[in-house]
Amino acid sequence: MRILVAAPTARLLMRYKEMDGAAMSALIEAACARHGVDGDRIETRGKGSRTEILETYNEIDICLDTFPYSGGLTVLEALYMGTPTLTFPGATYASRHSASHLEAAGFPELVMDCVEAYTEEAIDMANKPDRLKAYGPAMREKFLNSPFFDYGGFTDHLLTEFADLRKKQL
């Protein structure tokens, strides 16, 4: 809510299978009202087909990672679709997926060191949309050329590790 209050033209789209119900929408609207955020700035969507979910990334400017459990597949989808994702890693494995993915894909600047930095960066990006132009199609291209898609390099590394392990056992 701090992000929405500080970025008055920003809107929030939340998509999750549980968002189909009216009860969830009512809870979110009530939370918005408590913080002085107009509920019209929030949109919830429930489950959808894989194509519908991927097309959702074309409707948003920034993907805000969740916490304390960070997005694994969500961040990979966002990278593929050219949507910058902000995250901050927590102390647990479950809170560090997104940071690992973003750093491996070559976007360490999207990994914040704490919730305060995450919030400030989201506000800055929302209020300065020109900053986001550096991403988009270039992000997808960089992602496709990252170690995520270096199958040969991964295989070579894995085989080397297996060979080293075997030598240690002999």
Side-chain angles (χ1 to χ4, degrees):
M1 289 299 152
R2 288 185 297 193
I3 296 167
L4 290 170
V5 168
T9 62
R11 297 179 41 79
L12 179 65
L13 168 62
M14 294 185 287
R15 182 160 209 163
Y16 180 67
K17 63 183 178 182
E18 301 300 325
M19 297 288 177
D20 279 338
M24 182 62 77
S25 293
L27 284 172
I28 292 167
E29 286 179 26
C32 290
R34 283 193 308 275
H35 290 85
V37 174
D38 185 348
D40 290 344
R41 294 175 56 203
I42 310 293
E43 181 180 349
T44 59
R45 293 187 197 165
K47 58 188 170 189
S49 70
R50 175 63 38 212
T51 300
E52 290 169 332
I53 291 169
L54 289 175
E55 287 173 353
T56 302
Y57 291 97
N58 294 324
E59 300 176 46
I60 62 176
D61 298 317
I62 309 164
C63 185
L64 301 175
D65 194 23
T66 56
F67 52 89
Y69 187 88
S70 70
L73 177 60
T74 303
V75 173
L76 296 173
E77 289 173 341
L79 284 164
Y80 182 76
M81 296 303 291
T83 305
T85 301
L86 286 179
T87 192
F88 67 95
T92 66
Y93 171 75
S95 69
R96 302 183 72 78
H97 296 132
S98 298
S100 296
H101 294 338
L102 289 165
E103 288 178 9
F107 298 98
E109 74 277 9
L110 296 173
V111 179
M112 304 296 108
D113 61 0
C114 61
V115 69
E116 292 81 12
Y118 168 93
T119 302
E120 290 304 314
E121 186 68 7
I123 291 166
D124 192 62
M125 291 177 114
N127 286 325
K128 298 176 185 169
D130 285 349
R131 286 188 58 204
L132 302 172
K133 291 180 182 173
Y135 295 102
M139 177 175 255
R140 176 187 276 185
E141 189 64 29
K142 188 172 181 178
F143 177 52
L144 292 175
N145 288 301
S146 75
F148 281 100
F149 295 92
D150 181 9
Y151 308 121
F154 176 81
T155 302
D156 290 345
H157 179 75
L158 185 61
L159 290 173
T160 299
E161 291 296 318
F162 284 154
D164 289 348
L165 183 60
R166 181 157 173 80
K167 286 178 191 174
K168 289 176 186 175
Q169 292 176 344
L170 294 177

